[in-house]
Amino acid sequence: MNPTAKKYRIRRSAAAAQPARPSAAAGAGDGFGPKPVANAAAEPRPAAPAAAAPTPPQHAPREPATPEQEIAAIRAEELTGRQLRMARRVAQKHGLSPASDHDAVRLLRGQGIDPFQRANMLEIARNEVADGGGAPRQIQLPRTMPAGGGMPARPANTPGETRLREVREIQRDIARRRRRSLAMMLARLAAFVLLPTAIAGLYYFKLATPIYATNSEFVIQQADGQAGGGLGSLFQGAGLAAQQDSINVQSYLQSRDAMLRLDSDLGFRTHFSQAHIDPIQRLATDASNEAAYKLYKKAVKIGYDPTEGILRMEVRAADPATSASFSEALISYAEQRIDGMTTRLREDQMAGARQSYTEAEARVAEAQQRVLALQEKLGVIDPASETRALMGQIATFETQLREKRLQLLQLMDNPRPNEARVRGVEGEMQRLEDLVASLRASMTEDGTRGESLARISAELRIAEADLANRQLLLQQGLQQLETARIEANRQVRYLSLGVSPVAPDEATYPRAFENTALALLIFGGIYLMVSLTLSILREQVSA
């Protein structure tokens, strides 16, 4: 007996007892459900009659549902994998093209065919036996093809193979498009990034002229004042007093004035117009001052560190000696500029103090001349001495006058005084009184000399007081002059070199590797920005 037919044998009694069981029970009896015990499987079972017609399952009437709902309901039945494969084979036998195993169950049920009925399964098995010509099937083993024999005919493509072939074609098309996009991207990268980078690297490594840079550092310091103190001394100690001067010097060395002066002294434009310099760095012989100044700003780099107060300068040239000479010349220009910034301030301070002192000195001399003129005119050197002398004489004469009065009183006490002696004493008293009166009159009234001693003394006192004031103003002017001199010395600025310019023995520029890497980053960034912009625009337009 054919093993395949024996596999699908069923009992007649079971078939007669349950002619229309549900699909799940049929699956349990034909091998899709639980397996039977070994003894029952070993018993001989007569084959089912070939003319037995399949009994379609009786379904209760229901409302029409969508394919998705039907497939969801089929999934809820939790069919086994073997049942689903058998359903696909039954669907292919009836000429259906299901999209999936569950779709095969749906299509078969839609045509009124129960894929899990035993009759359908036995018919599939009978067809498989009939394909063998009714004879027992031989065991198919690998064997060599006869000589001259062709390959066996390939069966027609099934819907699954057709779908698989279409999926493979779609995958190959996607891979082909990806390869084409990758090739185009690499081509764009090579054209817009790698090629410009290679050109830049060729220039930096082979064509660029070696440039030598001389570095120097200097600081602008302020002279220490003798009377330093207060808040100003704190700023001087912190190095902030010369910050404005440092910024001014930095601006001057980067100005057109410094460039023109360097060109007139050492030939800046002539040096960078030499023929051995590459065309990119070379300055044209008929270049304008603006072009020369643009090159000057690249050749002279000056930086200022406000925390330390240090000016750092780098001067570039096509040969080391010229670079060092340019640096020394610029440092000398900076020194002259510093001196020029403080000279006017010092001169203004000293000029005012000198003028005040000169005027005070002239006024003192004028007051002295006035006192001398009064002394010569009046014939009095010291009015106070003259006054003391006159007062001494008046006091002496008044003493004598009092003595004479006492003597007269003594004579008049006699009952019969001597007339001659009385008259003599009275005459002396009269003369003394006249002399005292004349002396007193000479002090307050104008006499033969024209002016009184009081007027002379007053005029001389006024002249001497004016002379004393002028002398005090002269002393103050002298003190102001000394203070201005000290302040002017404190305003002095001078340049102190920290690092002297020394000519280099190796070229400083160009830095080929760094510049080439920078060019690669720049071109890559530009390409990335343009690519992103175009992609965004393309997406917006397509949307």
Side-chain angles (χ1 to χ4, degrees):
M1 182 180 291
N2 194 349
T4 307
K6 184 179 179 181
K7 180 178 179 181
Y8 292 96
R9 291 176 61 187
I10 59 175
R11 295 181 181 180
R12 292 178 179 272
S13 59
Q18 298 178 358
R21 298 186 63 180
S23 59
D30 58 0
F32 292 94
K35 294 182 179 180
V37 294
N39 296 331
E43 293 179 357
R45 299 177 181 179
T55 303
Q58 300 297 327
H59 297 282
R62 58 182 179 180
E63 296 180 358
T66 60
E68 290 77 7
Q69 294 177 353
E70 293 178 357
I71 292 176
I74 293 170
R75 292 180 184 274
E77 295 179 7
E78 298 182 356
L79 301 176
T80 63
R82 187 174 182 182
Q83 289 175 332
L84 294 176
R85 288 193 298 272
M86 185 61 68
R88 180 180 285 274
R89 292 176 64 186
V90 173
Q92 293 177 358
K93 174 181 175 296
H94 288 83
L96 301 177
S97 298
S100 63
D101 294 342
H102 296 87
D103 192 28
V105 176
R106 184 185 66 82
L107 294 176
L108 289 173
R109 290 179 179 177
Q111 292 186 0
I113 301 172
D114 187 1
F116 308 117
Q117 192 175 7
R118 287 191 297 271
N120 294 330
M121 299 177 185
L122 290 176
E123 187 177 355
I124 293 173
R126 190 180 302 110
N127 292 335
E128 291 178 355
V129 174
D131 292 340
R137 297 182 61 181
Q138 297 179 0
I139 299 175
Q140 300 293 333
L141 295 176
R143 65 180 182 271
T144 58
M145 296 298 295
M151 296 295 293
R154 185 176 181 180
N157 293 331
T158 61
E161 293 178 352
T162 303
R163 184 167 57 255
L164 182 60
R165 186 176 62 254
E166 292 176 353
V167 170
R168 289 177 180 175
E169 290 179 357
I170 293 173
Q171 291 177 349
R172 284 195 294 268
D173 183 61
I174 293 174
R176 184 169 55 256
R177 291 183 180 180
R178 288 180 177 176
R179 287 193 298 270
R180 184 169 60 253
S181 299
L182 180 61
M184 292 297 296
M185 185 185 67
L186 293 178
R188 288 193 296 268
L189 285 175
F192 297 108
V193 177
L194 297 180
L195 181 60
T197 303
I199 295 174
L202 177 63
Y203 167 74
Y204 288 126
F205 279 98
K206 298 296 182 181
L207 303 178
T209 303
I211 299 297
Y212 298 86
T214 301
N215 296 315
S216 59
E217 296 181 3
F218 52 90
V219 62
I220 298 175
Q221 296 181 351
Q222 182 179 6
D224 295 333
Q226 296 179 0
L231 189 60
S233 62
L234 296 178
F235 284 115
Q236 290 179 0
L240 300 177
Q243 183 176 3
Q244 294 182 352
D245 297 333
S246 300
I247 296 174
N248 290 333
V249 170
Q250 179 186 7
S251 301
Y252 171 73
L253 293 179
Q254 292 179 336
S255 64
R256 291 178 176 83
D257 187 11
M259 186 269 294
L260 294 175
R261 186 174 179 182
L262 184 64
D263 183 32
S264 62
D265 293 345
L266 299 177
F268 175 79
R269 301 177 60 173
T270 304
H271 173 75
F272 281 96
S273 301
Q274 300 179 23
H276 67 87
I277 300 177
D278 62 89
I280 295 179
Q281 302 184 71
R282 186 191 310 160
L283 183 65
T285 54
D286 56 347
S288 61
N289 288 334
E290 292 298 326
Y293 179 63
K294 184 177 180 180
L295 179 61
Y296 174 80
K297 289 192 294 184
K298 294 180 180 179
V300 179
K301 298 291 184 180
I302 301 176
Y304 173 65
D305 186 0
T307 58
E308 300 178 357
I310 298 177
L311 285 166
R312 295 180 175 87
M313 183 173 64
E314 181 185 70
V315 182
R316 305 176 187 178
D319 58 86
T322 304
S323 175
S325 61
F326 283 173
S327 181
E328 293 174 355
L330 290 174
I331 290 174
S332 65
Y333 299 163
E335 291 178 346
Q336 296 175 9
R337 186 69 176 180
I338 292 170
D339 294 338
M341 286 190 300
T342 57
T343 299
R344 182 174 180 180
L345 179 61
R346 295 196 304 263
E347 289 179 354
D348 291 343
Q349 291 179 349
M350 293 299 296
R354 288 195 188 98
Q355 183 177 1
S356 299
Y357 178 76
T358 303
E359 291 178 357
E361 191 175 12
R363 290 175 182 177
V364 167
E366 182 180 354
Q368 288 178 349
Q369 291 294 331
R370 183 181 176 185
V371 170
L372 181 60
L374 287 174
Q375 289 176 350
E376 291 177 350
K377 178 181 179 181
L378 301 175
V380 178
I381 297 177
D382 187 5
S385 301
E386 291 288 338
T387 301
R388 286 195 297 271
L390 289 176
M391 292 301 295
Q393 292 178 6
I394 291 172
T396 302
F397 292 149
E398 287 181 349
T399 302
Q400 293 178 2
L401 179 59
R402 284 193 292 271
E403 291 178 355
K404 293 299 181 180
R405 285 177 180 175
L406 292 175
Q407 186 178 0
L408 178 61
L409 292 174
Q410 186 178 4
L411 291 176
M412 294 300 294
D413 289 338
N414 294 326
R416 298 178 67 180
N418 188 352
E419 187 70 21
R421 293 183 64 181
V422 171
R423 289 181 181 179
V425 172
E426 290 179 351
E428 290 180 359
M429 290 176 59
Q430 186 64 37
R431 287 192 294 271
L432 289 174
E433 289 177 355
D434 294 339
L435 182 59
V436 170
S438 64
L439 290 175
R440 290 184 179 277
S442 66
M443 293 178 63
T444 57
E445 297 177 1
D446 295 339
T448 57
R449 293 180 296 183
E451 292 182 358
S452 65
L453 183 60
R455 181 179 295 277
I456 294 173
S457 177
E459 291 181 359
L460 286 177
R461 284 197 188 98
I462 293 173
E464 289 176 353
D466 188 20
L467 177 60
N469 292 332
R470 298 302 179 184
Q471 289 178 348
L472 180 61
L473 293 176
L474 180 62
Q475 292 179 358
Q476 292 178 356
L478 181 61
Q479 185 177 1
Q480 291 179 357
L481 180 63
E482 184 66 18
T483 304
R485 184 184 65 80
I486 294 173
E487 291 295 331
N489 292 333
R490 291 179 59 188
Q491 295 297 330
V492 173
R493 305 285 193 274
Y494 62 92
L495 188 146
S496 178
L497 275 175
V499 177
S500 301
V502 178
D505 56 352
E506 292 184 359
T508 310
Y509 300 99
R511 297 172 180 173
F513 179 77
E514 291 85 348
N515 294 341
T516 305
L518 181 60
L520 177 61
L521 293 176
I522 292 174
F523 290 130
I526 294 174
Y527 173 77
L528 181 60
M529 293 176 60
V530 173
S531 299
L532 291 176
T533 303
L534 293 178
S535 299
I536 294 172
L537 292 177
R538 190 183 302 111
E539 182 180 357
Q540 293 294 330
V541 171
S542 62

